[in-house]
Amino acid sequence: MARTPRLTRLGALVLALLAAAGLTAGCDTTFPGTSLRIATGVPTGVYSKLGGALATAWEGQLDLAPSDVKFTNGSGENVQLLLDGEVDVAFSAADVATEPRVGEHGVLALARIYDDYLHVVVRSDGPIHSLGELAGKRVSVGTRDSGTSVIAKRVLKVTGLPTQITEYNLDESMARLQRGEVDAFFWSGGLPTGGITAAGDSVRLVDLAEELPAIREQFPIYNASSVPAAVYGSETAVTTLAVPNFLLVSDLMSDDMAEALVSGMFAARGELVRANRAAQAIDVLPGIETDPVPLHPGAVRYYREADI
């Protein structure tokens, strides 16, 4: 399979690269009986909400058999499942998708979809108001090989905070925080994340403005951003890190199927937004910005024909 060109944010250069790919349009529109295996994340996370909605949309659009939507520990597990040929589609954060891994197959992108936001969650009635106050505390950094674990450990390494690290998923982290068994937990996810919304005003987020420059200097893949106050009903916006999310497939996928999935995802944007508001960020132009993960040739074919 020919290598797909890597695209940049500059619209003119993007279009030139797509044209240079020399790919022709004309894919099959349905795939009767085909079943997709989709790796998502924890049940209350955005990956799972969007994965279920995407599966339903694709089944109706493309005459697919029912999909196997898998709950996982997140990005790291999802990428490895793709490499091992055990799933067809996977969600992953960009920082995890670009880490070196061993597998039988290559990983390609269909689209950049939305950004994850780092949440550092503490009890609203507790004493912790800054990241520095996590020193010596009990902190859950997410499950092993998850996107949350990658960004949490990077943040703790850069800031040099000595903490008592545990590894729990979002739901278990929240339960242990509420019971006083951990003092804080990290979560990297879209806005809003249902598992945090459900806790209401019993939790709050820690602002990371003071630590952002040092973190971004060492890891420029992360962007400075904020969680608006309205997302979780807080008094003010919270400064944090954001990391792009990609929708990935393996190099086993045909060009026709990849093109159809990309087209179907953009056509189903309304259903995806109803599943979770993070999908409001899904759009064609930012969708091509998957560098350094190359786009699948079928995705390139779609974007080449799109009106961008």
Side-chain angles (χ1 to χ4, degrees):
M1 179 178 294
R3 184 176 179 82
T4 309
R6 294 182 177 182
L7 306 180
T8 74
R9 295 175 181 271
L10 298 175
L13 180 57
V14 166
L15 294 177
L17 288 170
L18 294 177
L23 301 173
T24 59
C27 70
D28 293 337
T29 57
T30 61
F31 303 82
T34 299
S35 177
L36 292 175
R37 301 163 299 171
I38 305 172
T40 60
V42 297
T44 55
V46 179
Y47 284 176
S48 295
K49 302 302 182 185
L50 296 186
L54 263 179
T56 300
W58 283 335
E59 289 163 15
Q61 295 164 345
L62 306 177
D63 195 22
L64 302 179
S67 302
D68 179 10
V69 180
K70 300 178 181 293
F71 296 137
T72 70
N73 287 327
S75 296
E77 182 179 353
N78 293 352
V79 172
Q80 194 62 53
L81 288 170
L82 271 181
L83 289 169
D84 294 340
E86 296 183 21
V87 297
D88 307 298
V89 181
F91 292 78
S92 177
D95 54 350
V96 178
T98 56
E99 285 194 322
R101 289 176 181 270
V102 177
E104 297 181 12
H105 308 288
V107 171
L108 301 170
L110 295 182
R112 173 179 173 171
I113 45 178
Y114 68 94
D115 287 356
D116 269 348
Y117 294 77
L118 181 62
H119 302 60
V120 181
V121 185
V122 297
R123 289 173 60 110
S124 58
D125 61 358
I128 299 172
H129 294 272
S130 68
L131 195 65
E133 291 175 319
L134 294 184
K137 303 297 185 182
R138 302 161 299 174
V139 179
S140 173
V141 296
T143 51
R144 187 181 304 275
D145 209 24
S146 65
T148 297
S149 178
V150 169
I151 191 171
K153 290 178 179 178
R154 287 179 175 182
V155 167
L156 292 174
K157 180 179 179 181
V158 170
T159 56
L161 291 173
T163 57
Q164 302 173 45
I165 289 177
T166 56
E167 296 179 317
Y168 302 117
N169 65 22
L170 172 61
D171 296 339
E172 184 66 15
S173 293
M174 180 64 77
R176 288 177 180 268
L177 180 69
Q178 301 282 25
R179 294 197 299 264
E181 296 171 4
V182 298
D183 300 298
F185 70 85
F186 284 77
W187 166 252
S188 181
L191 300 179
T193 292
I196 295 175
T197 303
D201 60 5
S202 66
V203 300
R204 54 182 165 78
L205 305 185
V206 174
D207 191 278
L208 305 182
E210 183 177 343
E211 292 80 15
L212 283 189
I215 297 168
R216 295 191 64 238
E217 181 178 3
Q218 188 163 340
F219 299 104
I221 196 168
Y222 301 125
N223 300 313
S225 192
S226 64
V227 178
V231 172
Y232 297 116
S234 57
E235 294 183 359
T236 61
V238 175
T239 303
T240 190
L241 297 171
V243 58
N245 279 298
F246 299 154
L247 193 62
L248 304 175
V249 295
S250 82
D251 55 13
L252 290 173
M253 181 167 286
S254 72
D255 292 1
D256 286 349
M257 174 62 84
E259 182 181 8
L261 294 184
V262 176
S263 177
M265 179 189 71
F266 289 120
R269 184 174 179 274
E271 294 98 301
L272 299 180
V273 170
R274 285 190 286 274
N276 190 277
R277 296 200 306 272
Q280 291 173 341
I282 295 176
D283 202 358
V284 175
L285 188 55
I288 61 179
E289 297 174 2
T290 64
D291 187 61
V293 179
L295 282 165
H296 190 290
V300 171
R301 191 163 67 186
Y302 171 82
Y303 292 119
R304 181 170 179 260
E305 297 298 315
D307 184 18
I308 56 176

